[in-house]
Amino acid sequence: MNKRPRGWARCLPQSLLGRLTLLMVAGVMLTQLAGNYIWASQRRAESQVEVANAAQQLGHSAASAVRFFLSLPPNYRPLIIQQFGEMGGTRFFVSLNRAAVPAESIGPQPLADIALATVQSTLHADLPNNRNVRVAFVWPEHLVVADDGTRLSALPESRVRQIVLAKPAPVLLMQVEMEPGHWLYLATLMPSPYFLDSGKLFTRDHLLLHALSLLAVVMLSIPVVRWTTRPLAALSEAATAFGNGERMPALPETGSREFVNTARAFGAMRERIGRYIDDRERLFVSISHDLRTPIMRLKLRAELLDDDTLRAEFHEDIDELEMMVKGALQCVKDSDIHETPTEIRLDAFLARMVRGAQLAGHEVSFAPTGLSVTAKPLALKRAIGNLLENALHYGERAQIAVRAVGSSIRIAVRDHGPGVPEDALAQLFEPYVRLEHGRKQNSSGMGLGLGIARGIAQAHGGQLLLQNAEGGGFCATLVLPNASGAGGAG
């Protein structure tokens, strides 16, 4: 019985092609992730230094602007700001307010936090007498430019060209209290407006590049892996066909050195096994021919004995010997039926066997299912015939049931006899082993039928399962591969 994979192994592809492809893709992905992490770490460190330097320069410029407005009389300040708006030429959007304007911050961002901390420390250092300083990064759509609630979108484009781009960028907002009730409002963009993107590990461009490289690896690796594994598939098919008794041409000795060596070893093994099977058949034929004469002589000499009791005992031993020889020969012949597998419609196939048993006076039931199986007809008939014969000998009546379970066809033959002790089930396949109730029901049997049926099932790539049936009786189930895959679990 095949063991099912456990744990993470269940998620792996079952084919070598799938596993090698998965391994290549996983290797490329891990390499890309490691390279991206190293690159992003270096880029993040460089970005932090660049942002800190840019923020320090902006802080110095803002401090110069504050000192300039502090040097002006309060009534001149609005006029200068109006001139700035009309003439341009400054990097800041400037306004005066009676109180600090609420700012809706963009939220915590590592690079933004570094910039804000640098700007604030620079302003405090350059403006030691102006301790009330507020800085923040705000998205343009949320930016309020006056203490009366006026938003950036309400101003003409000519006044806000310093801080408005086609693609929105965070605006650095600085507010400094010059005197009580007089706050200077400065807004500008960082020298690199989209500096926040430099700290991202994955961007759309990076993801597209990785996807293209992965696609290239998959497109190149699948043909290479398929070309590499094709000889292994041929070897698997040859081994399966040889195990089923089919004649297959020799494997081509092409491909890698390892496969050529494997193909040669497989060919040599197939020849040795073929010679062994042929020698075994010739040996049993020779034994059958050679033992026939001594057994006949023993029978003739037994007839010359005067003691009737002794003569009867001799005849009984000779008959048992002859039966064992015939049984062994029959076992070999039944297991080595050379046929070509063909598609068998089980309804008609089993119906003929059932009618034959019913004509002999036996009670056998069978329900058609419409299923088919690919097998050797004579061998399959011998296997099912042995199971049916056992069921009719040891049970009152027999039932044959066919069903498709996953990738297999199951042919169950059940009797309604006394069943088999659980501890004796493993012994039923051994030759010449017959249980007590079996000898009573069928004294002429030799105990070879189940072994022959199992050999035929294994030659088809299946198995024979034995168990006591629920409600009494014994059930032998012949499990054969379902090449068509039709049917569901029953």
Side-chain angles (χ1 to χ4, degrees):
M1 182 178 296
N2 296 329
K3 294 183 178 180
R4 296 182 62 185
R6 297 181 179 179
W8 61 269
R10 296 181 181 177
C11 301
L12 291 177
Q14 296 303 309
S15 65
L16 183 60
L17 171 63
R19 293 189 176 188
L20 289 179
T21 303
L22 178 62
L23 181 62
M24 290 184 180
V25 172
V28 172
M29 291 184 65
L30 288 176
T31 303
Q32 289 179 342
L33 288 174
N36 272 320
Y37 178 78
I38 296 173
W39 173 83
S41 299
Q42 295 175 347
R43 182 65 186 135
R44 189 179 295 114
E46 295 173 357
S47 299
Q48 291 174 356
V49 175
E50 293 174 359
V51 167
N53 292 334
Q56 189 175 32
Q57 294 176 5
L58 282 178
H60 290 312
S61 298
S64 298
V66 172
R67 285 194 294 268
F68 171 73
F69 279 98
L70 285 172
S71 65
L72 296 175
N75 56 337
Y76 283 174
R77 294 170 185 170
L79 297 176
I80 298 298
I81 292 176
Q82 183 178 0
Q83 290 179 359
F84 283 164
E86 293 175 354
M87 299 174 58
T90 178
R91 70 186 306 172
F92 297 106
F93 170 82
V94 186
S95 68
L96 289 171
N97 297 291
R98 292 185 298 273
V101 176
E104 187 177 345
S105 176
I106 64 174
Q109 296 271 2
L111 291 179
D113 294 342
I114 292 174
L116 292 176
T118 303
V119 169
Q120 192 156 22
S121 63
T122 302
L123 289 175
H124 281 305
D126 291 354
L127 303 171
N129 297 324
N130 299 90
R131 293 297 178 182
N132 205 352
V133 176
R134 298 184 184 182
V135 295
F137 276 107
V138 184
W139 293 111
E141 62 268 21
H142 300 150
L143 184 62
V144 178
V145 297
D147 53 4
D148 60 359
T150 303
R151 289 186 172 270
L152 180 68
S153 57
L155 299 179
E157 184 179 354
S158 60
R159 287 202 59 193
V160 296
R161 58 180 176 272
Q162 305 97 326
I163 55 177
V164 175
L165 299 176
K167 177 184 175 182
V171 178
L172 175 60
L173 174 60
M174 297 168 285
Q175 300 184 82
V176 180
E177 186 180 21
M178 297 184 296
E179 299 99 7
H182 294 272
W183 284 76
L184 183 64
Y185 182 104
L186 301 173
T188 187
L189 295 175
M190 293 287 288
S192 176
Y194 307 109
F195 68 99
L196 294 179
D197 294 338
S198 61
K200 292 182 179 180
L201 180 60
F202 293 110
T203 62
R204 181 178 301 176
D205 294 339
H206 282 99
L207 291 176
L208 179 60
L209 179 61
H210 297 333
L212 291 176
S213 61
L214 278 177
L215 181 62
V217 169
V218 172
M219 296 297 292
L220 292 175
S221 64
I222 288 180
V224 172
V225 174
R226 182 179 287 115
W227 173 75
T228 304
T229 57
R230 186 181 293 116
L232 296 179
L235 177 61
S236 174
E237 293 176 359
T240 302
F242 179 64
N244 293 336
E246 301 175 13
R247 297 295 180 181
M248 293 289 292
L251 290 172
E253 296 184 2
T254 58
S256 64
R257 180 178 57 187
E258 292 79 7
F259 175 74
V260 170
N261 294 335
T262 303
R264 290 174 180 172
F266 177 78
M269 179 193 68
R270 183 167 61 178
E271 291 179 2
R272 287 196 301 270
I273 294 176
R275 287 196 301 268
Y276 166 75
I277 293 175
D278 293 339
D279 292 343
R280 188 183 68 165
E281 291 182 357
R282 287 193 296 268
L283 174 63
F284 274 91
V285 170
S286 299
I287 291 175
S288 173
H289 181 271
D290 294 343
L291 288 181
R292 212 171 277 145
T293 300
I295 290 175
M296 184 60 65
R297 287 201 302 264
L298 288 175
K299 285 186 176 182
L300 294 175
R301 291 177 182 177
E303 291 293 338
L304 300 177
L305 295 176
D306 296 331
D307 189 339
D308 294 340
T309 302
L310 184 60
R311 185 169 59 251
E313 292 177 354
F314 265 96
H315 275 297
E316 184 178 350
D317 291 339
I318 294 171
D319 290 341
E320 184 177 354
L321 176 61
E322 185 177 17
M323 186 179 300
M324 292 177 65
V325 172
K326 290 181 179 179
L329 292 174
Q330 187 65 36
C331 180
V332 174
K333 292 179 181 179
D334 289 342
S335 300
D336 294 330
I337 299 176
H338 300 292
E339 295 180 273
T340 301
T342 184
E343 184 177 1
I344 301 173
R345 298 184 181 276
L346 291 175
D347 289 348
F349 185 80
L350 294 174
R352 287 193 295 269
M353 300 181 67
V354 169
R355 281 197 301 270
Q358 291 174 343
L359 291 175
H362 298 291
E363 183 179 350
V364 184
S365 61
F366 167 67
T369 59
L371 295 174
S372 300
V373 68
T374 301
K376 300 177 180 179
L378 291 179
L380 183 60
K381 183 177 181 181
R382 170 62 63 184
I384 299 176
N386 287 349
L387 300 181
L388 183 58
E389 184 178 354
N390 284 347
L392 295 176
H393 273 301
Y394 305 132
E396 300 174 0
R397 62 186 187 278
Q399 292 176 333
I400 301 179
V402 181
R403 60 174 180 163
V405 180
S407 59
S408 65
I409 295 291
R410 300 196 172 205
I411 305 173
V413 181
R414 176 188 175 183
D415 64 45
H416 290 268
V420 176
E422 293 293 335
D423 56 354
L425 286 174
Q427 305 175 16
L428 294 180
F429 290 120
E430 298 179 9
Y432 307 112
V433 172
R434 302 177 65 235
L435 304 182
E436 182 64 27
H437 76 278
R439 286 191 292 269
K440 292 179 180 179
Q441 296 288 338
N442 182 16
S443 60
S444 62
M446 294 173 289
L448 298 175
L450 291 178
I452 294 173
R454 183 177 68 169
I456 294 173
Q458 292 174 345
H460 283 80
Q463 57 182 328
L464 180 62
L465 306 178
L466 304 179
Q467 62 182 358
N468 287 310
E470 295 182 4
F474 183 75
C475 183
T477 303
L478 192 65
V479 182
L480 299 175
N482 182 11
S484 63

